[in-house]
Coordinates of all heavy atoms in Angstrom, one line a residue:
Chain A
T1049 N -16.1 -2.8 9.5 CA -16.2 -1.4 9.2 C -15.1 -0.6 9.8 O -14.8 -0.7 11.0 CB -17.5 -0.9 9.8 OG1 -18.6 -1.6 9.3 CG2 -17.7 0.6 9.5
Q1050 N -14.3 0.1 9.0 CA -13.1 0.8 9.4 C -13.5 2.3 9.5 O -14.2 2.8 8.7 CB -12.0 0.6 8.4 CG -11.5 -0.8 8.4 CD -10.2 -0.9 7.5 OE1 -10.2 -1.7 6.5 NE2 -9.2 -0.2 7.8
S1051 N -12.8 2.9 10.5 CA -13.0 4.3 10.6 C -11.7 4.9 11.2 O -10.9 4.3 11.9 CB -14.1 4.7 11.6 OG -13.9 4.1 12.9
P1052 N -11.4 6.2 10.8 CA -12.2 7.0 9.8 C -11.8 6.5 8.4 O -10.9 5.7 8.2 CB -11.7 8.4 10.0 CG -10.3 8.2 10.5 CD -10.2 7.0 11.3
A1053 N -12.5 7.0 7.4 CA -12.2 6.7 6.0 C -10.9 7.3 5.6 O -10.1 6.7 4.9 CB -13.3 7.1 5.1
T1054 N -10.7 8.5 6.1 CA -9.4 9.2 5.8 C -8.9 9.8 7.1 O -9.7 10.4 7.9 CB -9.6 10.3 4.7 OG1 -10.1 9.7 3.5 CG2 -8.3 11.0 4.4
L1055 N -7.6 9.7 7.3 CA -7.0 10.3 8.5 C -5.8 11.2 8.0 O -4.9 10.7 7.3 CB -6.5 9.2 9.4 CG -5.9 9.5 10.7 CD1 -6.9 10.3 11.6 CD2 -5.5 8.3 11.5
S1056 N -5.9 12.4 8.4 CA -4.8 13.4 7.9 C -4.0 13.7 9.1 O -4.4 14.4 10.1 CB -5.4 14.6 7.4 OG -6.2 14.3 6.2
L1057 N -2.7 13.4 9.1 CA -1.8 13.6 10.2 C -0.4 14.0 9.6 O -0.2 13.9 8.4 CB -1.6 12.3 11.0 CG -2.9 11.9 11.8 CD1 -2.6 10.5 12.4 CD2 -3.2 12.9 12.9
S1058 N 0.4 14.5 10.5 CA 1.8 14.9 10.1 C 2.8 13.8 10.6 O 2.5 13.1 11.6 CB 2.1 16.2 10.8 OG 1.2 17.2 10.3
P1059 N 4.0 13.8 10.0 CA 5.0 12.9 10.5 C 5.3 13.2 11.9 O 5.3 14.3 12.3 CB 6.2 13.2 9.5 CG 5.6 13.6 8.3 CD 4.3 14.4 8.7
G1060 N 5.6 12.1 12.7 CA 5.9 12.3 14.1 C 4.6 12.1 15.0 O 4.7 11.9 16.2
E1061 N 3.4 12.3 14.4 CA 2.2 12.2 15.2 C 1.8 10.7 15.3 O 2.3 9.8 14.7 CB 1.1 13.0 14.5 CG 1.2 14.5 14.6 CD 0.0 15.2 14.2 OE1 -0.4 15.1 13.0 OE2 -0.7 15.9 15.1
R1062 N 0.9 10.5 16.3 CA 0.4 9.2 16.6 C -0.9 9.0 15.7 O -1.8 9.8 15.7 CB 0.0 9.1 18.1 CG -0.5 7.8 18.5 CD -0.8 7.9 20.0 NE -1.2 6.6 20.7 CZ -0.3 5.8 21.3 NH1 1.0 6.1 21.3 NH2 -0.7 4.7 21.8
A1063 N -1.0 7.8 15.1 CA -2.2 7.4 14.3 C -2.9 6.3 15.0 O -2.3 5.3 15.5 CB -1.8 7.0 12.9
T1064 N -4.3 6.5 15.1 CA -5.1 5.4 15.7 C -6.2 5.1 14.7 O -7.0 6.0 14.3 CB -5.7 5.9 17.0 OG1 -4.7 6.3 17.9 CG2 -6.6 4.8 17.6
L1065 N -6.2 3.9 14.2 CA -7.2 3.4 13.2 C -8.1 2.3 13.8 O -7.6 1.5 14.6 CB -6.5 2.8 12.0 CG -5.7 3.7 11.0 CD1 -4.5 4.4 11.6 CD2 -5.4 3.0 9.8
S1066 N -9.4 2.4 13.5 CA -10.3 1.5 14.1 C -10.9 0.5 13.1 O -11.1 0.8 11.9 CB -11.4 2.3 14.7 OG -12.5 1.5 15.3
C1067 N -11.3 -0.7 13.6 CA -11.9 -1.7 12.8 C -13.0 -2.3 13.7 O -12.6 -2.8 14.8 CB -10.9 -2.7 12.3 SG -11.7 -4.1 11.4
R1068 N -14.2 -2.3 13.3 CA -15.3 -2.9 14.0 C -16.0 -4.1 13.3 O -16.3 -3.9 12.1 CB -16.3 -1.9 14.4 CG -17.5 -2.4 15.2 CD -18.3 -1.3 15.8 NE -17.6 -0.8 17.0 CZ -18.0 0.2 17.7 NH1 -19.2 0.8 17.4 NH2 -17.3 0.7 18.7
A1069 N -16.1 -5.2 13.9 CA -16.7 -6.4 13.3 C -18.2 -6.5 13.6 O -18.6 -6.1 14.7 CB -16.0 -7.6 13.7
S1070 N -19.0 -7.0 12.7 CA -20.5 -7.1 12.9 C -20.8 -8.2 13.9 O -22.0 -8.2 14.4 CB -21.2 -7.3 11.5 OG -20.7 -8.5 10.9
Q1071 N -19.9 -9.1 14.1 CA -20.1 -10.0 15.2 C -18.7 -10.5 15.6 O -17.7 -10.2 14.9 CB -20.9 -11.3 14.7 CG -20.3 -12.0 13.6 CD -21.2 -13.1 13.0 OE1 -22.1 -12.8 12.3 NE2 -21.0 -14.3 13.5
S1072 N -18.6 -11.1 16.8 CA -17.3 -11.4 17.3 C -16.4 -12.3 16.4 O -16.9 -13.2 15.8 CB -17.4 -12.2 18.6 OG -16.2 -12.5 19.1
V1073 N -15.2 -11.9 16.2 CA -14.2 -12.6 15.5 C -13.1 -13.1 16.4 O -12.0 -13.5 16.0 CB -13.6 -11.8 14.3 CG1 -14.7 -11.4 13.3 CG2 -12.8 -10.6 14.8
S1074 N -13.3 -13.1 17.7 CA -12.3 -13.4 18.7 C -11.1 -12.6 18.5 O -11.2 -11.3 18.5 CB -12.0 -14.9 18.6 OG -11.2 -15.3 19.7
S1075 N -9.9 -13.2 18.3 CA -8.7 -12.4 18.0 C -8.2 -12.7 16.6 O -7.1 -12.4 16.2 CB -7.6 -12.7 19.0 OG -8.0 -12.3 20.3
Y1076 N -9.1 -13.2 15.7 CA -8.7 -13.6 14.4 C -8.8 -12.4 13.4 O -9.6 -12.4 12.5 CB -9.6 -14.7 13.9 CG -9.5 -16.0 14.7 CD1 -10.6 -16.7 15.1 CD2 -8.2 -16.5 15.1 CE1 -10.5 -17.8 15.9 CE2 -8.1 -17.6 15.9 CZ -9.3 -18.3 16.3 OH -9.2 -19.4 17.0
L1077 N -8.0 -11.4 13.7 CA -8.0 -10.2 12.9 C -6.6 -9.8 12.5 O -5.7 -9.9 13.3 CB -8.7 -9.0 13.6 CG -8.9 -7.8 12.7 CD1 -10.4 -7.7 12.4 CD2 -8.3 -6.6 13.3
A1078 N -6.4 -9.3 11.3 CA -5.1 -8.9 10.8 C -5.3 -7.5 10.2 O -6.4 -7.0 9.9 CB -4.6 -9.8 9.7
W1079 N -4.1 -6.8 10.1 CA -4.0 -5.5 9.5 C -3.0 -5.5 8.4 O -1.9 -6.2 8.5 CB -3.6 -4.5 10.5 CG -4.6 -4.1 11.6 CD1 -4.7 -4.7 12.8 CD2 -5.6 -3.1 11.5 NE1 -5.7 -4.1 13.5 CE2 -6.3 -3.1 12.7 CE3 -6.0 -2.2 10.5 CZ2 -7.4 -2.3 13.0 CZ3 -7.0 -1.3 10.8 CH2 -7.7 -1.4 12.0
Y1080 N -3.3 -4.9 7.3 CA -2.4 -4.8 6.1 C -2.2 -3.3 5.8 O -3.1 -2.5 6.0 CB -3.0 -5.5 4.9 CG -3.3 -7.0 5.1 CD1 -4.4 -7.4 5.8 CD2 -2.3 -7.9 4.7 CE1 -4.6 -8.8 6.0 CE2 -2.6 -9.3 4.9 CZ -3.7 -9.7 5.5 OH -3.9 -11.0 5.7
Q1081 N -1.0 -3.1 5.2 CA -0.7 -1.7 4.6 C -0.6 -1.9 3.1 O 0.0 -2.8 2.6 CB 0.6 -1.3 5.2 CG 1.1 0.0 4.6 CD 2.6 0.2 5.0 OE1 3.5 -0.5 4.5 NE2 2.9 1.2 5.8
Q1082 N -1.2 -1.0 2.4 CA -1.1 -1.0 0.9 C -0.7 0.4 0.4 O -1.3 1.4 0.7 CB -2.4 -1.5 0.2 CG -2.2 -1.7 -1.3 CD -3.5 -2.1 -1.9 OE1 -4.6 -1.8 -1.6 NE2 -3.3 -3.0 -3.0
K1083 N 0.4 0.4 -0.4 CA 0.9 1.6 -1.0 C 0.5 1.5 -2.5 O 0.2 0.4 -3.0 CB 2.4 1.8 -0.9 CG 2.8 1.9 0.6 CD 4.3 2.1 0.7 CE 4.6 2.3 2.2 NZ 6.1 2.4 2.4
P1084 N 0.4 2.7 -3.2 CA -0.1 2.7 -4.6 C 0.7 1.8 -5.5 O 2.0 1.8 -5.4 CB 0.1 4.2 -5.0 CG -0.1 4.9 -3.7 CD 0.5 4.0 -2.6
G1085 N 0.0 1.0 -6.2 CA 0.7 0.1 -7.2 C 1.3 -1.1 -6.6 O 2.0 -1.9 -7.3
Q1086 N 1.1 -1.3 -5.3 CA 1.7 -2.5 -4.6 C 0.7 -3.4 -4.0 O -0.5 -3.0 -3.8 CB 2.7 -2.0 -3.5 CG 3.9 -1.2 -3.9 CD 4.8 -0.8 -2.8 OE1 4.7 -1.4 -1.7 NE2 5.7 0.1 -3.0
A1087 N 1.1 -4.6 -3.8 CA 0.2 -5.5 -3.0 C 0.2 -5.2 -1.6 O 1.1 -4.5 -1.0 CB 0.7 -7.0 -3.2
P1088 N -0.9 -5.6 -0.9 CA -0.9 -5.3 0.6 C 0.2 -6.1 1.3 O 0.7 -7.1 0.8 CB -2.3 -5.9 1.0 CG -3.1 -5.8 -0.3 CD -2.2 -6.1 -1.4
R1089 N 0.6 -5.5 2.4 CA 1.6 -6.2 3.2 C 1.1 -6.4 4.6 O 0.5 -5.5 5.2 CB 2.9 -5.2 3.3 CG 4.0 -5.8 4.2 CD 5.2 -4.9 4.2 NE 5.0 -3.6 4.9 CZ 6.0 -3.0 5.6 NH1 7.2 -3.6 5.7 NH2 5.8 -1.8 6.1
L1090 N 1.3 -7.6 5.1 CA 0.8 -8.0 6.4 C 1.6 -7.3 7.5 O 2.8 -7.4 7.5 CB 0.9 -9.5 6.6 CG 0.5 -10.1 7.9 CD1 -1.0 -9.9 8.2 CD2 0.8 -11.6 8.0
L1091 N 0.9 -6.6 8.4 CA 1.5 -5.9 9.5 C 1.3 -6.6 10.8 O 2.2 -6.8 11.5 CB 0.9 -4.5 9.6 CG 1.0 -3.5 8.5 CD1 0.2 -2.2 8.8 CD2 2.5 -3.2 8.2
I1092 N 0.0 -6.9 11.1 CA -0.4 -7.4 12.4 C -1.3 -8.7 12.1 O -2.1 -8.6 11.2 CB -1.2 -6.4 13.2 CG1 -0.4 -5.1 13.4 CG2 -1.7 -7.0 14.5 CD1 0.8 -5.3 14.4
Y1093 N -1.1 -9.7 12.9 CA -2.0 -10.9 12.8 C -2.4 -11.3 14.2 O -1.8 -10.9 15.2 CB -1.3 -12.0 12.1 CG -0.1 -12.6 12.8 CD1 -0.3 -13.7 13.7 CD2 1.1 -12.1 12.7 CE1 0.8 -14.2 14.4 CE2 2.2 -12.6 13.3 CZ 2.1 -13.7 14.2 OH 3.2 -14.2 14.8
D1094 N -3.5 -12.0 14.3 CA -4.1 -12.4 15.6 C -4.3 -11.1 16.5 O -4.0 -11.2 17.7 CB -3.3 -13.5 16.3 CG -3.5 -14.8 15.6 OD1 -4.5 -15.0 14.8 OD2 -2.6 -15.7 15.8
A1095 N -4.7 -10.1 15.9 CA -5.0 -8.8 16.5 C -3.9 -8.0 17.1 O -3.9 -6.8 17.1 CB -6.0 -9.0 17.7
S1096 N -2.8 -8.7 17.6 CA -1.8 -7.9 18.3 C -0.3 -8.4 18.0 O 0.6 -7.8 18.6 CB -2.0 -8.0 19.8 OG -2.0 -9.3 20.2
N1097 N -0.2 -9.3 17.1 CA 1.2 -9.8 16.8 C 1.8 -9.2 15.6 O 1.1 -9.2 14.5 CB 1.2 -11.4 16.6 CG 0.7 -12.1 17.9 OD1 1.4 -12.0 18.9 ND2 -0.4 -12.7 17.9
R1098 N 2.9 -8.6 15.7 CA 3.6 -8.0 14.5 C 4.1 -9.1 13.6 O 4.7 -10.1 14.1 CB 4.7 -7.1 14.9 CG 4.3 -5.7 15.3 CD 5.5 -4.7 15.4 NE 6.4 -5.2 16.4 CZ 6.2 -5.0 17.7 NH1 5.2 -4.3 18.1 NH2 7.1 -5.4 18.6
A1099 N 3.9 -8.9 12.3 CA 4.5 -9.9 11.3 C 6.0 -9.6 11.3 O 6.5 -8.6 11.7 CB 3.8 -9.6 10.0
T1100 N 6.7 -10.6 10.6 CA 8.1 -10.5 10.5 C 8.6 -9.2 9.8 O 8.0 -8.9 8.8 CB 8.6 -11.7 9.7 OG1 8.2 -12.9 10.3 CG2 10.1 -11.7 9.6
G1101 N 9.5 -8.6 10.4 CA 10.1 -7.4 9.8 C 9.3 -6.1 10.0 O 9.7 -5.0 9.5
I1102 N 8.2 -6.1 10.7 CA 7.4 -4.9 10.9 C 7.9 -4.1 12.1 O 8.1 -4.7 13.2 CB 5.9 -5.3 11.1 CG1 5.4 -6.1 9.9 CG2 5.1 -4.1 11.4 CD1 5.5 -5.4 8.6
P1103 N 8.2 -2.8 11.9 CA 8.7 -2.0 13.0 C 7.8 -2.0 14.2 O 6.6 -2.1 14.2 CB 8.8 -0.6 12.3 CG 8.8 -0.9 10.9 CD 8.0 -2.1 10.7
A1104 N 8.5 -1.7 15.3 CA 7.8 -1.7 16.6 C 6.8 -0.6 16.8 O 6.0 -0.6 17.7 CB 8.8 -1.7 17.8
R1105 N 6.9 0.4 15.9 CA 6.0 1.6 16.1 C 4.5 1.1 15.7 O 3.6 1.9 16.0 CB 6.4 2.8 15.2 CG 6.4 2.5 13.7 CD 6.9 3.8 13.0 NE 6.9 3.6 11.5 CZ 8.0 3.2 10.9 NH1 9.1 2.8 11.5 NH2 7.9 3.0 9.5
F1106 N 4.4 0.0 15.0 CA 3.1 -0.5 14.7 C 2.6 -1.5 15.8 O 3.4 -2.4 16.2 CB 3.1 -1.3 13.4 CG 3.3 -0.5 12.2 CD1 4.6 -0.2 11.7 CD2 2.3 0.1 11.5 CE1 4.8 0.6 10.6 CE2 2.5 0.9 10.3 CZ 3.8 1.1 9.9
S1107 N 1.4 -1.3 16.3 CA 0.9 -2.2 17.3 C -0.6 -2.3 17.1 O -1.3 -1.4 16.6 CB 1.2 -1.7 18.7 OG 0.5 -0.4 18.9
G1108 N -1.1 -3.5 17.5 CA -2.5 -3.8 17.3 C -3.1 -4.2 18.7 O -2.4 -4.8 19.5
S1109 N -4.4 -3.9 18.8 CA -5.1 -4.3 20.1 C -6.5 -4.6 19.8 O -7.0 -4.3 18.7 CB -4.9 -3.2 21.1 OG -5.6 -2.1 20.7
G1110 N -7.2 -5.2 20.7 CA -8.6 -5.5 20.6 C -8.9 -7.0 20.6 O -8.0 -7.8 20.4
S1111 N -10.2 -7.3 20.8 CA -10.7 -8.6 20.6 C -12.2 -8.6 20.5 O -12.8 -7.5 20.9 CB -10.3 -9.5 21.8 OG -10.9 -9.1 23.0
G1112 N -12.8 -9.6 20.1 CA -14.3 -9.6 19.9 C -14.7 -8.8 18.7 O -14.6 -9.3 17.6
T1113 N -15.2 -7.6 18.9 CA -15.7 -6.8 17.7 C -15.0 -5.5 17.5 O -15.2 -4.9 16.5 CB -17.2 -6.5 17.9 OG1 -17.4 -5.7 19.1 CG2 -18.0 -7.8 18.0
D1114 N -14.1 -5.1 18.4 CA -13.5 -3.8 18.3 C -11.9 -3.9 18.3 O -11.4 -4.5 19.3 CB -13.9 -2.8 19.4 CG -15.4 -2.4 19.2 OD1 -15.7 -1.8 18.2 OD2 -16.2 -2.8 20.1
F1115 N -11.3 -3.4 17.3 CA -9.9 -3.5 17.1 C -9.3 -2.2 16.8 O -9.9 -1.3 16.1 CB -9.6 -4.5 16.0 CG -10.1 -5.9 16.3 CD1 -11.4 -6.2 16.0 CD2 -9.3 -6.9 17.0 CE1 -11.9 -7.5 16.3 CE2 -9.8 -8.1 17.3 CZ -11.1 -8.4 16.9
T1116 N -8.0 -2.0 17.1 CA -7.3 -0.8 16.8 C -5.9 -1.1 16.3 O -5.2 -2.0 16.9 CB -7.2 0.1 18.1 OG1 -8.5 0.4 18.6 CG2 -6.4 1.4 17.9
L1117 N -5.5 -0.3 15.3 CA -4.1 -0.3 14.9 C -3.5 1.1 15.2 O -4.1 2.1 14.9 CB -4.0 -0.5 13.3 CG -2.6 -0.3 12.7 CD1 -1.7 -1.5 13.1 CD2 -2.7 -0.2 11.2
T1118 N -2.4 1.0 15.9 CA -1.8 2.3 16.4 C -0.4 2.3 15.8 O 0.4 1.4 15.8 CB -1.7 2.3 17.9 OG1 -3.0 2.2 18.5 CG2 -1.0 3.6 18.3
I1119 N -0.1 3.5 15.2 CA 1.3 3.8 14.7 C 1.8 4.9 15.7 O 1.2 6.0 15.7 CB 1.3 4.3 13.3 CG1 0.5 3.3 12.4 CG2 2.7 4.4 12.8 CD1 0.3 3.7 11.0
S1120 N 2.8 4.6 16.5 CA 3.1 5.5 17.6 C 3.7 6.8 17.1 O 3.4 7.9 17.7 CB 4.1 4.8 18.5 OG 5.3 4.4 17.8
S1121 N 4.5 6.8 16.1 CA 5.1 8.1 15.6 C 5.3 7.9 14.1 O 6.1 7.1 13.6 CB 6.5 8.3 16.3 OG 7.1 9.5 15.8
L1122 N 4.5 8.6 13.3 CA 4.4 8.4 11.9 C 5.7 8.7 11.2 O 6.3 9.8 11.4 CB 3.3 9.2 11.3 CG 1.9 8.6 11.6 CD1 0.8 9.7 11.2 CD2 1.7 7.4 10.8
E1123 N 6.2 7.8 10.3 CA 7.3 8.1 9.4 C 6.7 8.4 8.0 O 5.6 8.0 7.7 CB 8.2 6.8 9.4 CG 8.8 6.4 10.7 CD 10.0 7.4 11.1 OE1 10.5 8.1 10.2 OE2 10.3 7.4 12.3
P1124 N 7.5 9.1 7.2 CA 7.0 9.4 5.9 C 6.5 8.2 5.1 O 5.5 8.3 4.3 CB 8.2 10.1 5.2 CG 9.0 10.6 6.3 CD 8.8 9.7 7.5
E1125 N 7.1 7.1 5.3 CA 6.7 5.9 4.5 C 5.5 5.2 5.0 O 5.0 4.2 4.4 CB 7.9 4.8 4.5 CG 8.3 4.3 5.8 CD 9.4 5.1 6.5 OE1 9.5 6.3 6.2 OE2 10.2 4.5 7.3
D1126 N 4.9 5.7 6.1 CA 3.7 5.1 6.7 C 2.4 5.6 6.0 O 1.3 5.0 6.3 CB 3.6 5.3 8.2 CG 4.8 4.7 8.9 OD1 5.4 3.7 8.4 OD2 5.1 5.2 10.0
F1127 N 2.5 6.6 5.2 CA 1.3 7.1 4.6 C 0.8 6.2 3.5 O 1.6 6.0 2.5 CB 1.5 8.6 4.2 CG 1.7 9.5 5.4 CD1 3.0 9.8 5.8 CD2 0.6 10.0 6.0 CE1 3.2 10.6 7.0 CE2 0.8 10.8 7.1 CZ 2.1 11.1 7.6
A1128 N -0.3 5.6 3.7 CA -0.8 4.5 2.8 C -2.2 4.2 3.2 O -2.8 4.9 4.0 CB 0.1 3.3 3.0
V1129 N -2.7 3.2 2.6 CA -4.1 2.7 2.9 C -3.9 1.5 3.8 O -3.1 0.6 3.5 CB -4.9 2.4 1.7 CG1 -6.3 1.8 2.1 CG2 -5.1 3.6 0.8
Y1130 N -4.7 1.4 4.8 CA -4.7 0.3 5.8 C -6.0 -0.5 5.8 O -7.1 0.1 5.8 CB -4.4 0.8 7.2 CG -3.0 1.3 7.3 CD1 -2.7 2.6 6.9 CD2 -1.9 0.5 7.7 CE1 -1.4 3.1 6.9 CE2 -0.6 1.0 7.8 CZ -0.4 2.3 7.4 OH 0.9 2.8 7.4
Y1131 N -5.9 -1.8 5.7 CA -7.1 -2.7 5.7 C -7.0 -3.6 6.9 O -6.0 -4.1 7.2 CB -7.1 -3.5 4.5 CG -7.3 -2.7 3.2 CD1 -6.3 -2.4 2.4 CD2 -8.6 -2.4 2.8 CE1 -6.5 -1.7 1.2 CE2 -8.8 -1.7 1.6 CZ -7.7 -1.3 0.8 OH -7.9 -0.6 -0.4
C1132 N -8.2 -3.9 7.5 CA -8.3 -5.0 8.4 C -8.9 -6.2 7.7 O -9.6 -6.0 6.7 CB -9.1 -4.6 9.7 SG -10.8 -4.0 9.4
Q1133 N -8.7 -7.4 8.3 CA -9.2 -8.6 7.6 C -9.5 -9.6 8.7 O -8.7 -9.8 9.7 CB -8.1 -9.1 6.7 CG -8.4 -10.5 6.1 CD -7.5 -11.6 6.5 OE1 -6.3 -11.4 6.7 NE2 -8.0 -12.8 6.8

Side-chain angles (χ1 to χ4, degrees):
Chain A
T1049 302
Q1050 293 186 240
S1051 61
T1054 303
L1055 184 59
S1056 300
L1057 294 171
S1058 300
E1061 290 193 293
R1062 182 184 186 90
T1064 302
L1065 287 68
S1066 175
C1067 177
R1068 176 164 290 178
S1070 58
Q1071 62 189 80
S1072 176
V1073 299
S1074 185
S1075 295
Y1076 299 133
L1077 190 105
W1079 290 93
Y1080 298 82
Q1081 176 193 69
Q1082 187 179 34
K1083 297 180 180 179
Q1086 296 184 17
R1089 178 175 70 145
L1090 178 65
L1091 298 176
I1092 301 287
Y1093 65 93
D1094 287 343
S1096 61
N1097 296 297
R1098 275 190 302 277
T1100 303
I1102 301 304
R1105 64 180 181 273
F1106 291 90
S1107 63
S1109 63
S1111 65
T1113 61
D1114 290 297
F1115 300 87
T1116 300
L1117 174 69
T1118 301
I1119 311 171
S1120 59
S1121 178
L1122 286 165
E1123 297 288 341
E1125 62 267 28
D1126 298 336
F1127 292 92
V1129 179
Y1130 291 83
Y1131 294 96
C1132 56
Q1133 173 247 320

